[in-house]
Amino acid sequence: MYFDDYVVGTVTTSRGRTVTEADIVNFAGLSGDFVELHMNEEYAKRGPFGRRIAHGALIFSISTGLTVQMIPDHEAIIAFYGVDKLRFVAPVFIGDTVHVTKLVTDKQVKAGSRGVVTFETTVLNQDDKAVVIYTDRLMVKARA
C-alpha cells in the first residue's frame, strides 16, 4: 500500500498467532531476559498472575510480525518510523492466541514523495481483551 491508499479511520485486523513455550524460551535466549516470572513456573505460581507470562517485549515483537504479514506488498514501505505510548495492559500466557488491530489515525505528507501514516495499534488475546496498546508510525512512498 502506498501513502495515498491509507484512509484515516480505517481499521484492519491481523490473523491470530498462539504464543508457545518455545517463543518464550527463544526470546529469553535472544534478549537475555531470564526474569523468573517468564522462566520459572514454581516462582511464577507465587506471583501476581499465578503462572508464567510472556515477555511484554515478545508480544510487541509478535505484533510487529503480524503487522508485516497484513501488508500484501512491501514495495512502498520505506521505514518503521517509531513507536509511542507503548503499554502492556494485561498478561499473555503460554497458549494464548493474539491478533492485532490497527486504526489509521493520521497521515502527514513528507518531502520527496513520501508520507508518514500513524496507527493506534491494539494487541488482543483470544477473548478480545487488550494486552498491548501503542501508537506507531510507518513511512511509505506516495504514488506521486
Side-chain angles (χ1 to χ4, degrees):
M1 290 181 58
Y2 287 82
F3 179 76
D4 319 69
D5 300 324
Y6 291 92
V7 176
V8 172
T10 301
V11 177
T12 55
T13 302
S14 77
R15 65 187 187 138
R17 185 180 184 294
T18 301
V19 178
T20 67
E21 165 87 14
D23 292 328
I24 293 172
V25 171
N26 289 328
F27 188 80
L30 179 66
S31 67
D33 181 349
F34 292 95
V35 168
E36 288 187 284
L37 193 55
H38 309 302
M39 305 304 296
N40 181 331
E41 186 66 35
E42 293 305 313
Y43 175 87
K45 283 180 185 177
R46 299 186 307 271
F49 307 111
R51 57 187 164 147
R52 292 169 53 202
I53 63 170
H55 305 75
L58 167 61
I59 303 308
F60 170 71
S61 296
I62 287 172
S63 77
T64 64
L66 289 171
T67 296
V68 167
Q69 294 173 26
M70 292 167 66
I71 302 169
D73 181 3
H74 299 104
E75 178 64 31
I77 296 174
I78 297 171
F80 185 48
Y81 204 66
V83 174
D84 295 309
K85 302 177 186 174
L86 177 63
R87 298 290 179 266
F88 305 107
V89 296
V92 173
F93 302 102
I94 295 169
D96 282 356
T97 299
V98 296
H99 67 278
V100 174
T101 62
K102 299 188 78 65
L103 167 65
V104 177
T105 60
D106 190 41
K107 292 172 56 173
Q108 294 181 347
V109 175
K110 298 289 183 180
S113 298
R114 59 188 173 177
V116 174
V117 182
T118 302
F119 303 92
E120 179 182 300
T121 300
T122 306
V123 183
L124 301 117
N125 67 13
Q126 64 279 356
D127 300 319
D128 281 330
K129 181 177 181 180
V131 295
V132 179
I133 300 170
Y134 57 92
T135 300
D136 57 317
R137 292 174 177 79
L138 188 65
M139 181 176 278
V140 294
K141 296 175 186 174
R143 289 195 188 276

